[in-house]
């Protein structure tokens, strides 16, 4: 096993170290995880601090956060594990994670950021390439597959109303707080010129836009309802439709006869008068 791991490590890309892993003891061919110390050019960040973050490539779909944490637990205490679809450009911003909204199902192979509590964990993780293949699913910590995995996924998809209500209330409180801060900032900056001397003009001036009152909205809705009712009742019954067509044809015939008489009168009045 050590010889196989050495052969794999020798074929790793520049800067990476290959770690041989297996799903279980019955699997014959190992899978390779490519690891290296995570470094960013934009500067240190709180989510993935330098010297303590291990960047992992080629993470299989069946290897989750708990599995990666167990794989590298022998190297030192693991602070956090983040799994993404693709490498992040720069440091990610801290956002509120939701349990019910904006959930993304990642498919295929992914990348991971394993943050240790000490820099020694990164070096110890890179030294695992000298050992045999690591097991992702063990007897003490099995990875669920097949029916058991589907049952667990379905149970996790059932929404707890109390947790959902608490999350929505917390989100709305943060939103109201943000709106209040923006309004207070707008009030402070109102009428104050910017660097170029321009003053921002808003609707909250001397003559702000007057919104429609409830009575005006009701009048508009009633007018639209009457107009729609007239359109719907016009030619509602079949006999009304037939009578309308018959009256239209009669008017056309009457106009045709009048036009014929007018033409005949004009022809009779046409006489040759040389003098």
């Amino acid at each position: 096993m050590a010889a196989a791991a050495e052969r794999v490590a020798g074929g790793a890309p520049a800067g990476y170290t290959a770690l041989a892993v297996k799903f279980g003891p019955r699997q014959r061919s190992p899978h390779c995880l490519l690891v290296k110390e995570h470094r960013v050019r934009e500067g240190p960040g709180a989510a993935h601090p330098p010297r303590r973050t291990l960047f992992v490539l080629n993470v299989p779909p069946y290897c989750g956060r708990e599995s990666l944490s167990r794989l590298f637990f022998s190297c030192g205490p693991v602070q956090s594990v983040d799994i993404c679809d693709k490498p992040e450009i720069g440091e990610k911003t801290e956002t509120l994670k939701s349990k019910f909204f904006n959930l993304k199902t990642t498919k295929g192979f992914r990348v991971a950021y394993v943050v240790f509590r000490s820099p020694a964990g990164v070096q110890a993780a890179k030294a695992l390439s000298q050992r045999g293949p690591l097991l992702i699913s063990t007897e003490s910590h099995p990875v669920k597959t097949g029916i058991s995995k589907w049952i667990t996924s379905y149970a996790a998809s059932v929404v707890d109303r109390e947790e959902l209500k608490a999350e929505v209330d917390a989100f709305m409180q943060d939103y109201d707080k943000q709106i209040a801060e923006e309004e207070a900032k707008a009030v402070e900056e109102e009428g104050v010129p910017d660097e170029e001397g321009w003053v921002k003009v808003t609707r909250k001036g001397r003559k702000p836009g007057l919104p429609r009152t409830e009575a005006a909205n009701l009048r508009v809705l009633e007018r639209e309802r009457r107009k729609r009712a007239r359109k719907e009742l016009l030619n509602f019954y079949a006999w009304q439709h037939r009578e309308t067509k018959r009256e239209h044809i009669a008017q056309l015939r009457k106009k045709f006869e009048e036009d014929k008489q007018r033409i005949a009168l004009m022809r009779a009045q046409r006489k040759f008068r040389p003098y």
Side-chain angles (χ1 to χ4, degrees):
M1 293 184 179
E6 290 177 2
R7 288 196 299 269
V8 171
Y16 288 88
T17 302
L19 303 182
V21 296
K22 286 184 177 181
F23 177 78
R26 296 183 179 181
Q27 186 179 2
R28 296 182 179 181
S29 301
H31 178 78
C32 296
L33 298 179
L34 303 177
V35 300
K36 73 171 184 178
E37 182 180 348
H38 177 57
R39 297 176 181 176
V40 292
R41 299 179 181 179
E42 289 77 4
H48 305 146
R51 301 183 57 215
R52 293 197 295 114
T53 303
L54 184 71
F55 179 58
V56 187
L57 280 177
N58 204 24
V59 180
Y62 51 80
C63 187
R65 291 184 175 87
E66 295 80 5
S67 301
L68 285 176
S69 181
R70 288 195 303 267
L71 284 178
F72 297 107
F73 182 75
S74 61
C75 304
V78 177
Q79 178 178 336
S80 64
V81 177
D82 291 334
I83 299 180
C84 312
D85 294 336
K86 56 185 179 180
E88 298 175 350
I89 302 176
E91 287 295 328
K92 69 175 184 178
T93 57
E94 292 293 334
T95 56
L96 181 63
K97 294 183 179 180
S98 174
K99 185 179 178 182
F100 307 99
F101 305 101
N102 299 327
L103 300 179
K104 296 182 179 180
T105 57
T106 55
K107 298 181 180 179
F109 291 85
R110 302 160 293 176
V111 300
Y113 297 88
V114 182
V115 181
F116 293 92
R117 295 190 181 275
S118 64
V122 176
Q123 304 303 326
K126 295 168 65 176
L128 290 177
S129 60
Q130 306 299 327
R131 297 172 53 181
L134 306 175
L135 297 181
I136 297 177
S137 179
T138 60
E139 293 183 359
S140 57
H141 299 91
V143 176
K144 295 182 179 181
T145 57
I147 297 297
S148 59
K149 180 181 178 181
W150 296 340
I151 293 175
T152 304
S153 300
Y154 175 76
S157 65
V158 178
V159 178
D160 188 355
R161 295 184 178 180
E162 296 299 329
E163 293 183 3
L164 178 61
K165 183 178 182 301
E167 181 173 330
V168 172
D169 293 341
F171 176 82
M172 293 306 301
Q173 290 178 1
D174 295 340
Y175 177 77
D176 294 339
K177 182 179 178 181
Q178 181 181 359
I179 294 298
E181 292 177 354
E182 293 178 356
E183 291 180 352
K185 184 178 179 181
V187 171
E188 293 178 358
E189 297 178 353
E190 186 176 0
V192 179
D194 56 7
E195 298 177 355
E196 299 180 356
W198 294 93
V199 178
K200 183 178 180 181
V201 180
T202 61
R203 293 177 63 88
K204 296 181 180 180
R206 296 181 179 178
K207 296 181 180 180
L210 298 176
R212 285 185 175 180
T213 60
E214 185 176 357
N217 290 333
L218 292 177
R219 287 196 297 270
V220 172
L221 293 177
E222 181 65 21
R223 194 182 307 114
E224 292 178 354
R225 188 187 64 81
R226 292 177 181 176
K227 185 177 180 181
R228 187 167 53 251
R230 286 196 299 270
K231 289 184 178 180
E232 292 176 354
L233 293 178
L234 184 63
N235 296 333
F236 181 76
Y237 297 102
W239 63 269
Q240 290 180 338
H241 189 63
R242 289 195 298 269
E243 289 293 334
T244 303
K245 290 179 65 176
R246 189 177 294 110
E247 292 178 359
H248 182 64
I249 293 174
Q251 292 178 359
L252 290 177
R253 289 178 176 175
K254 181 179 180 182
K255 189 173 183 301
F256 178 72
E257 294 295 333
E258 293 177 353
D259 293 340
K260 284 176 61 178
Q261 294 178 4
R262 189 180 301 108
I263 292 173
L265 181 61
M266 292 172 60
R267 286 179 177 177
Q269 291 179 352
R270 252 188 353 181
K271 296 180 180 179
F272 179 72
R273 298 176 181 177
Y275 304 105

